[in-house]
Amino acid sequence: MKTRRQIPSPSLVLCEQSGWLNVLFNGRADGRLNAGHAGVLLAERRGSYPPIDLRILKTNSRPGEVESGTRRKLKRLLSFQRYCHASRLLRGLMPHTPGSLHLLDDDYLGQAAHMLSKVDTWNFDIFLFDRLTNGNSLVTLMCHLFNVCGLIHHFQLDMVKLHRFLGMVQEDYHSHNPYHNAVHAADVTQAMYCYIKETKLAEQLTPLDVFLGLMAAAAHDVDHPGVNQPFLIKTRHHLASLYQNTSVLESHHWRSTVGMLRESGLLSHLPADMSQDIEQQLGSLILATDINRQNEFLITLREHLDNQDMDLQLATHRHFILQIALKCADVCNPCREWELSRQWSERVCEEFYRQGDMERKFDLEISPLCDQQTDSVPAIQIGFISYIVEPLFEEWQRFTEPSMLSQIMMGHLHKNKACWSRLRYVHTLAETKTHPHVEEPEPEGGQEEAEDIP
């Protein structure tokens, strides 16, 4: 019962249709919630996202497929329970070295533990880490980061409740989504940790800031159905009505997170006003990931940088930078090294194409970027990089003044864009040979570059 999401465009026209340029209108970047989200916070029940349409999502299923999916989910749950109960932590054994907390079973100590020791490096391979942790990358990563950041001790968190909450979050990501799944959440969380470690931020952030940043990263797409907001609106999904067609998915991710926080009792030992403030700030962070609000945040960030009035000693300014950091982490795939970046690009486009196939099957208008027959992966990625990623990371680089990490990310970004440009040229060239009436394109990087495809 899962589905797929949306991303970038190749041309200005497609950009306008898909919303990359709609990003240039509306909104606030003051960290406050929209009126529709204010007032009494209603937490959604876990798993409250109903199927988009069983006929749509199960059209290709074979007998026994649902049952086998249930068995897989149960197997993973049991595996996670064994992993929790067999861990050194829950057996009460002391860590071998001060400051370390062993959260992996003996079978996984080794490569996975070695990867965690380098979790603050930008070439961290989340796909490999997910395999080494038996599909528990998000839970394992979050427990490790909460420990090394001192959050478990600072907030006196109950480890059983923490595992329960993180297990809920991980399970509520739809594993059938090629892109919006728990591995994406873990990838965003790892990127967020790298940004939090940036010198300019690390010196100013409070434990609460770090807690909010990591929690929002881990849960920012929880229970994502794999389709985008326009799909929910045009199919008259109840969530579109509930959130008045505004930040529909992001609002659901937030409310679902609040529901899981309350169900797990993770914050039940904190004063009521503090836990409510945490819930509201998590909402402000998660809602900031709405791509339609890109321009409001970008304009505000530029104004702060131009005026040189960013004061990270102010809680409101720290919160705003956390919003920007989360937005960067959410769309940082083009800033990873090519092999990782390419995998993410293919995954997100697969989600688009699945949505397009559903729309075509049920005689709905095919959404921009979702038509596999006309929207190629290279064209989609070039549009995404040009209109969304580059403008955001250029300002982030200015903010970090620039840091070594931001220089590495921008280097990968430019190389990856060049790779997609060459691949688009090859793709278009192949089409001209199939359809001779189409004018043969010129390679953007010259003929020599066009021949040098990675």
Side-chain angles (χ1 to χ4, degrees):
M1 303 179 187
K2 333 293 181 187
T3 0
R4 306 39 190 174
R5 148 178 158 175
Q6 167 170 26
I7 220 176
S9 93
S11 67
L12 186 60
V13 174
L14 187 53
C15 219
E16 290 170 335
Q17 292 174 338
S18 64
W20 295 148
L21 293 187
N22 287 344
V23 142
L24 303 179
F25 314 119
N26 329 316
R28 299 191 305 262
D30 57 6
R32 293 174 291 167
L33 303 179
N34 292 333
H37 304 118
V40 179
L41 176 57
L42 301 176
E44 291 187 13
R45 178 178 59 82
R46 281 188 61 232
S48 61
Y49 208 115
I52 299 299
D53 190 320
L54 277 175
R55 294 171 303 168
I56 294 179
L57 298 177
K58 291 296 180 183
T59 49
N60 296 322
S61 62
R62 295 180 294 275
E65 202 168 273
V66 176
E67 295 175 1
S68 64
T70 302
R71 286 197 298 271
R72 284 195 299 271
K73 190 168 184 178
L74 179 60
K75 182 179 179 181
R76 172 171 290 189
L77 177 61
L78 292 175
S79 173
F80 175 63
Q81 290 174 336
R82 287 196 300 272
Y83 145 83
C84 286
H85 290 290
S87 68
R88 287 190 171 97
L89 173 68
L90 296 185
R91 289 206 308 266
L93 300 181
M94 294 298 293
H96 293 302
T97 56
S100 68
L101 187 61
H102 292 284
L103 295 170
L104 296 174
D105 290 338
D106 291 339
D107 291 343
Y108 299 112
L109 291 173
Q111 291 189 67
H114 177 70
M115 289 190 70
L116 283 176
S117 70
K118 298 184 178 182
V119 71
D120 59 348
T121 59
W122 192 244
N123 62 350
F124 191 87
D125 187 341
I126 198 65
F127 297 113
L128 174 60
F129 186 71
D130 191 63
R131 292 193 295 272
L132 292 174
T133 56
N134 194 31
N136 288 301
S137 56
L138 183 59
V139 173
T140 306
L141 178 66
M142 279 290 284
C143 285
H144 175 77
L145 295 181
F146 264 47
N147 179 60
V148 298
C149 293
L151 301 177
I152 295 173
H153 174 75
H154 181 86
F155 291 101
Q156 294 295 294
L157 299 177
D158 184 301
M159 285 303 302
V160 174
K161 291 180 179 179
L162 178 61
H163 275 283
R164 182 186 303 149
F165 169 74
L166 294 175
M168 289 177 182
V169 172
Q170 182 172 270
E171 285 299 321
D172 273 9
Y173 276 96
H174 299 199
S175 60
H176 295 300
N177 289 346
Y179 184 84
H180 288 102
N181 50 43
V183 184
H184 165 65
D187 185 62
V188 172
T189 302
Q190 190 270 336
M192 188 67 168
Y193 178 66
C194 289
Y195 300 157
I196 286 173
K197 293 278 287 182
E198 288 276 43
T199 302
K200 193 164 182 179
L201 273 179
E203 297 173 349
Q204 301 293 337
L205 295 182
T206 67
L208 179 59
D209 296 327
V210 176
F211 177 88
L212 289 168
L214 295 177
M215 287 281 281
H220 79 284
D221 272 333
V222 72
D223 205 22
H224 196 294
V227 292
N228 58 22
Q229 176 173 292
F231 183 93
L232 299 180
I233 293 174
K234 67 185 174 185
T235 55
R236 299 180 181 179
H237 194 276
H238 89 278
L239 286 178
S241 299
L242 178 63
Y243 297 116
Q244 301 175 356
N245 298 341
T246 303
S247 298
V248 175
L249 287 169
E250 293 76 20
S251 298
H252 176 65
H253 304 323
W254 167 38
R255 300 295 175 87
S256 297
T257 302
V258 170
M260 288 182 281
L261 278 172
R262 295 179 181 180
E263 184 177 337
S264 66
L266 180 63
L267 306 180
S268 60
H269 64 292
L270 299 178
D273 59 342
M274 184 178 183
S275 60
Q276 289 173 8
D277 179 62
I278 288 175
E279 291 176 356
Q280 291 291 336
Q281 290 201 62
L282 282 174
S284 179
L285 289 170
I286 293 174
L287 288 172
T289 62
D290 184 350
I291 202 70
N292 293 309
R293 300 180 63 193
Q294 175 87 350
N295 197 53
E296 62 170 285
F297 285 98
L298 202 53
I299 289 175
T300 303
L301 178 59
R302 282 173 179 159
E303 289 176 350
H304 279 306
L305 296 177
D306 290 343
N307 298 331
Q308 299 183 350
D309 60 359
M310 181 71 71
D311 184 0
L312 295 181
Q313 293 186 359
L314 298 176
T316 54
H317 285 200
R318 291 197 307 274
H319 185 80
F320 173 72
I321 285 299
L322 282 178
Q323 289 177 312
I324 297 297
L326 182 57
K327 290 177 69 64
C328 288
D330 193 25
V331 298
C332 74
N333 301 151
C335 299
R336 299 283 191 179
E337 60 183 20
W338 170 251
E339 282 306 314
L340 293 175
S341 178
R342 179 184 55 79
Q343 288 185 67
W344 285 120
S345 299
E346 292 172 350
R347 284 168 174 261
V348 75
C349 289
E350 174 60 23
E351 276 199 10
F352 296 165
Y353 297 152
R354 289 187 186 184
Q355 176 176 323
D357 291 344
M358 285 192 291
E359 291 168 333
R360 181 180 291 107
K361 182 178 180 63
F362 290 93
D363 296 323
L364 298 171
E365 180 183 358
I366 299 179
S367 300
L369 313 176
C370 295
D371 191 342
Q372 191 167 6
Q373 298 174 8
T374 59
D375 303 319
S376 70
V377 175
I380 290 174
Q381 290 308 305
I382 291 169
F384 181 51
I385 292 172
S386 299
Y387 295 103
I388 300 297
V389 183
E390 275 183 333
L392 181 60
F393 277 88
E394 284 170 358
E395 299 307 319
W396 179 259
Q397 187 177 37
R398 286 180 63 197
F399 167 71
T400 60
E401 295 184 336
S403 68
M404 179 64 70
L405 174 58
S406 65
Q407 293 180 64
I408 291 173
M409 291 192 298
M410 291 302 289
H412 287 322
L413 181 62
H414 295 148
K415 290 179 182 178
N416 292 340
K417 185 178 181 181
C419 287
W420 287 121
S421 296
R422 295 193 291 269
L423 288 170
R424 181 174 66 171
Y425 168 75
V426 172
H427 175 81
T428 308
L429 191 62
E431 284 193 336
T432 60
K433 293 178 179 178
T434 305
H435 305 89
H437 63 281
V438 178
E439 184 178 349
E440 183 172 327
E442 286 293 331
E444 294 183 17
Q447 183 63 35
E448 292 182 3
E449 286 192 8
E451 294 172 353
D452 183 26
I453 304 298

